[in-house]
Amino acid sequence: MNDSIDTDDIVDLSAEYIAYLRIERGSSPRTIEAYEADLQKYQDFLISRDIERLSAITRDDIVAFEAHLFECGFAASTVSRRISVVKGFHRFCVAEDYTQENPAAALPLPKTPERLPDVLAIDQVNKLFDALDGEGAAGVRDRAMLEVLYGCGLRVSELVGLNVSDVLLDQGYLLVTGKGDKQRISPISGAADRALRAYLDTARTQLQKPYAKPTDAVFLNARGGRLTRQSVFKVVARAGRAIGVDNLHPHTLRHSFATHMLEGGADLRVIQDILGHSDISTTQIYTHIDRSHLREEYLHAHPRA
């Protein structure tokens, strides 16, 4: 127990919980930022009810917080995430002996409707790459980015985090750093391999600037620095608009990769390993998409369907 904090003050304990996630659990900066925002919403709600002490919180207060979130129009998935953060916070307080009572212990998470991820059809993927002009260093880079996103099923954070030392094309794979800094091998071949080679052979050198800080990043911006996630979002969205797909997201290319792999006969465990899913249940969402595809084909083809 940290003797420097007020062991009944919600603000102090929230800060202690965030420190625990950062130091002991090794949570990513983005996860920490999200938890801080969710806990702040919880604190603000409790303060609005004149509750500032951990010992004063009851199960009814947390139920009221959940109802408040729904009344504010938040989606069930958002409410579920915030209640999950609240439950984690109270579990932490019990585990660290700040209290013996956990008012959130028996509180179930709100049920969220299953939503299948957006996926491009294979002909849309082909049109997407056919529509890319690939002119100039930036054009060669953008093609390589999209080919790798779809060809390897990477998350956008994994794409921008790639370093030149992670690219082992002669051996046929990339060394990818995923969530929780876990590393995995992602196979690369075909169009993605060719596009990445073309970019590394010529365009990347053209994007390097003598005034820029040296970087091992694979994908560079116009100033010679590491490309940001936001820049990738813009490139992908622009490519989507060229084929009439609004708000195309990098994650859609990842979902499309997994779905098309499954439709092509790949084993679910293989897809799990390539995507970097720690739990097979996360990968199984793509079996639902595949079943949907089969039903569509059946209805289209069967004479009495």
Side-chain angles (χ1 to χ4, degrees):
M1 184 182 295
N2 187 340
D3 294 331
S4 65
I5 72 167
D6 183 335
T7 58
D8 198 33
D9 183 85
I10 297 169
V11 174
D12 282 353
L13 291 173
S14 296
E16 192 76 0
Y17 179 48
I18 294 299
Y20 161 76
L21 293 173
R22 181 183 294 113
I23 299 169
E24 300 295 332
R25 294 284 297 274
S27 298
S28 70
R30 291 187 66 213
T31 298
I32 295 297
E33 184 179 344
Y35 272 56
E36 285 181 318
D38 289 340
L39 279 177
Q40 186 62 58
K41 292 288 186 184
Y42 183 47
Q43 291 174 30
D44 292 344
F45 177 77
L46 292 173
I47 290 172
S48 73
R49 293 167 69 92
D50 296 323
I51 299 172
E52 298 181 8
R53 319 298 292 180
L54 178 67
S55 57
I57 303 173
T58 67
R59 184 180 186 278
D60 288 344
D61 294 315
I62 303 173
V63 170
F65 175 58
E66 179 182 321
H68 167 73
L69 293 174
F70 278 118
E71 288 170 2
C72 288
F74 290 106
S77 57
T78 301
V79 176
S80 182
R81 189 196 73 228
R82 287 184 172 169
I83 296 301
S84 179
V85 170
V86 169
K87 289 170 72 69
F89 166 69
H90 283 287
R91 280 197 304 270
F92 165 79
C93 290
V94 172
E96 295 296 313
D97 293 328
Y98 293 129
T99 181
Q100 293 183 341
E101 302 295 328
N102 183 350
L107 189 70
L109 292 176
K111 291 184 177 181
T112 57
E114 185 179 79
R115 180 182 180 276
L116 298 181
D118 294 329
V119 172
L120 294 178
I122 293 176
D123 67 321
Q124 286 180 301
V125 172
N126 293 331
K127 288 178 182 178
L128 184 76
F129 289 111
D130 288 344
L132 296 175
D133 57 32
E135 296 296 324
V140 174
R141 177 203 63 199
D142 293 349
R143 172 175 287 278
M145 289 193 311
L146 267 69
E147 289 281 13
V148 171
L149 282 171
Y150 173 69
C152 303
L154 299 193
R155 302 177 178 94
V156 65
S157 58
E158 296 167 347
L159 180 85
V160 300
L162 277 178
N163 292 322
V164 174
S165 55
D166 298 326
V167 178
L168 303 166
L169 294 179
D170 290 340
Q171 293 158 311
Y173 68 85
L174 306 176
L175 187 61
V176 179
T177 302
K179 290 183 176 181
D181 289 332
K182 293 181 180 178
Q183 289 192 318
R184 69 181 189 276
I185 290 174
S186 177
I188 182 170
S189 65
D193 178 282
R194 292 190 295 272
L196 188 53
R197 285 181 188 272
Y199 166 69
L200 292 174
D201 288 346
T202 58
R204 184 178 182 277
T205 302
Q206 295 171 26
L207 289 170
Q208 290 176 314
K209 306 298 179 186
Y211 54 78
K213 182 179 178 181
T215 177
D216 193 34
V218 169
F219 294 107
L220 304 179
N221 58 31
R223 298 177 300 282
R226 186 182 295 273
L227 203 68
T228 64
R229 296 170 67 254
Q230 289 76 15
S231 296
V232 178
F233 290 150
K234 291 178 181 178
V235 170
V236 173
R238 184 169 64 245
R241 288 194 296 272
I243 62 167
V245 177
D246 292 331
N247 302 317
L248 182 62
H249 192 280
H251 226 60
T252 303
L253 297 178
R254 175 174 162 89
H255 293 320
S256 302
F257 159 85
T259 303
H260 298 160
M261 286 280 289
L262 188 65
E263 290 175 354
D267 183 86
L268 197 63
R269 292 284 182 183
V270 172
I271 298 173
Q272 177 191 5
D273 289 342
I274 295 175
L275 292 178
H277 288 161
S278 58
D279 192 328
I280 190 68
S281 63
T282 307
T283 319
Q284 283 173 335
I285 185 69
Y286 298 107
T287 64
H288 298 305
I289 299 172
D290 192 41
R291 291 190 196 111
S292 174
H293 167 75
L294 291 174
R295 177 172 171 75
E296 289 174 6
E297 291 295 313
Y298 166 77
L299 292 174
H300 175 72
H302 198 286
R304 293 181 64 83

